[in-house]
Structure formats: C-alpha cells, structure tokens
Amino acid sequence: MKTAMASIYIADDHSIVIDGIKSILANSKQFEVIGYSTDPKQVLNDIIHFTPDIVILDEYMQTKNGSEILQEVAVKRINTRFVFLSSCDDQNIMLLVKNLGAQAFIHKNVGAKAIIQVLEDVMDGKQRFDTLNPDFNPDASTTKIKKLLTPREMILLNLILKGMSNKQIAERLDRSKHTIDTQRKTLYRKIKIEGYTNFSDMNGTLDLSKLTP
C-alpha cells in the first residue's frame, strides 16, 4: 500500500529560496510541494484553503512577518505544522515562534539533507529548535528598555529589530519616511545610554513580543 506524501507549502519573499526548496524536495518520496507564494496575504489564504501538512515559512516578509501569519492561522485551528526558515539566528524570534506553536526553526544556510531531516522529524511529532539557547531569558533587558522608551518608540524598535527598513516602517505605520528617520535617530540616542552601539546589538537580548505598549 502506497503511503501518502506529506504536503508542503513554501512561503518566502525571495523566489530563489522557494525554487531552492522545491528543487530539494522534487525527487522526494515523502514530501510533495502543493503551493508557494511570496505574498503574505496569499500565503494566509492558501494555508486556510489547502491546509498543508507543513508550511515552510520565512519570518521576515515584506508586509507581514511569518510569526504574524502563524498567529492568524492559529485562530482558525488548522492542523498544520510550521517550520520557520530564516537567514539569522535571533533567539527572540526562535523563542517567539516556538511559544506560538511552531515545530521547528532552521537557518537558510543548512544543506538539503538537514532540511529533509527536519521535515521528517516534524512529521514524527518532534520539535527542532537546535540553536535556541535553553537558558535564554530576555525579560530583564526587555523590562529595562520598556521603562526607557515611549509606547511609540517601542513599536518602532520592534519593527527595526525585525529587519524592516525606514521606508517599510513608514508604510506599515502610515507615516512619512522623514518622520521615521527622525524618530529612529532619537531612539538610537536613547539605546546608546544603555550601552548599545547599534540596533543589531539588541538582537538576541530582548523579547520582541513584549515590545508593544
């Protein structure tokens, strides 16, 4: 009796990444790619419509983060597993998506065999957060920063640490790019007081999910 292949949906804002994963899975007897998209809105609609076994999802997409898509899907109570694929090893993001119910987080530079192994493990009910530090606790730093910043600055910092450009942030918040440029400079002066030399220094030290008013 032939065993049904697990259905895979790929969501990434870079077509070359989608093509790469499709190529890796093309000859697999275990997995079948049933859809893909670079558009977060289309991704959400497709997941609800096709209910794939696994969604391979990029965290940093243009208009909506992967974690936001995961939260919206969770409300629908769809029995789909989520494997996050990212170009960075941000402990905050790993912890966030794990707490939201994702099954795995892998770096984009891993090889084909590693990707297939993660997918196999996820289908077997295992979690794969190999590079998540079990002792990671960002609460103390997060609390300190929240006391320093205004609610508007916390929203801005959250978006900056998610890798968004000033132009993207301006579009997301419906403000001018000039306004965001100015607010970013003010924010930078504040974080320097806490010893950060740039925004990238803050990655892995804060709980991004709590950087909201």
Side-chain angles (χ1 to χ4, degrees):
M1 181 177 177
K2 185 178 179 181
T3 303
M5 293 192 291
S7 56
I8 305 290
Y9 188 93
I10 308 168
D12 197 292
D13 58 357
H14 293 95
S15 296
I16 191 170
V17 174
I18 293 176
D19 291 342
I21 298 174
K22 286 169 58 183
S23 177
I24 289 171
L25 300 179
N27 298 317
S28 172
K29 296 180 180 180
Q30 300 167 277
F31 304 105
E32 177 186 18
V33 177
I34 62 168
Y36 52 87
S37 181
T38 59
D39 176 25
K41 184 177 180 180
Q42 183 64 48
V43 168
L44 184 59
N45 290 337
D46 285 348
I47 293 173
I48 295 171
H49 179 71
F50 294 115
T51 60
D53 293 311
I54 296 177
V55 173
I56 299 176
L57 181 61
D58 184 14
E59 168 60 11
Y60 299 114
M61 301 185 75
Q62 290 296 324
T63 58
K64 189 186 293 285
N65 292 320
S67 52
E68 293 177 288
I69 293 175
L70 176 54
Q71 291 181 75
E72 294 185 44
V73 171
V75 174
K76 303 293 183 179
R77 299 184 181 278
I78 294 174
N79 188 27
T80 291
R81 301 170 177 89
F82 286 83
V83 172
F84 275 76
L85 191 66
S86 179
S87 58
C88 72
D89 285 323
D90 190 325
Q91 298 286 297
N92 286 294
I93 298 301
M94 290 185 214
L95 185 60
L96 171 62
V97 300
K98 183 179 182 181
N99 289 341
L100 288 174
Q103 282 68 41
F105 187 104
I106 53 179
H107 198 281
K108 285 184 177 180
N109 65 5
V110 300
K113 289 184 178 179
I115 290 177
I116 291 176
Q117 184 61 60
V118 168
L119 295 178
E120 290 176 350
D121 287 346
V122 167
M123 286 304 299
D124 286 339
K126 301 175 183 177
Q127 284 192 324
R128 290 289 303 271
F129 289 86
D130 300 359
T131 56
L132 176 59
N133 183 350
D135 297 322
F136 175 60
N137 184 357
D139 287 346
S141 295
T142 304
T143 300
K144 195 173 184 180
I145 287 295
K146 287 184 71 173
K147 290 180 179 179
L148 180 69
L149 306 181
T150 67
R152 180 173 292 183
E153 287 169 338
M154 284 192 288
I155 293 173
L156 177 58
L157 179 60
N158 188 306
L159 297 178
I160 290 173
L161 296 184
K162 286 179 178 178
M164 296 181 67
S165 68
N166 285 9
K167 181 180 179 181
Q168 291 171 327
I169 293 172
E171 292 173 352
R172 175 73 72 88
L173 301 180
D174 194 24
R175 302 176 192 161
S176 70
K177 182 177 178 299
H178 174 73
T179 297
I180 299 302
D181 290 342
T182 302
Q183 292 177 347
R184 184 171 182 141
K185 291 177 182 177
T186 301
L187 180 58
Y188 176 64
R189 286 195 293 270
K190 284 192 174 184
I191 69 167
K192 282 184 68 178
I193 296 174
E194 295 301 317
Y196 296 105
T197 58
N198 52 56
F199 289 109
S200 62
D201 286 349
M202 307 182 82
N203 283 322
T205 67
L206 304 174
D207 184 347
L208 299 189
S209 66
K210 294 181 180 178
L211 284 180
T212 54

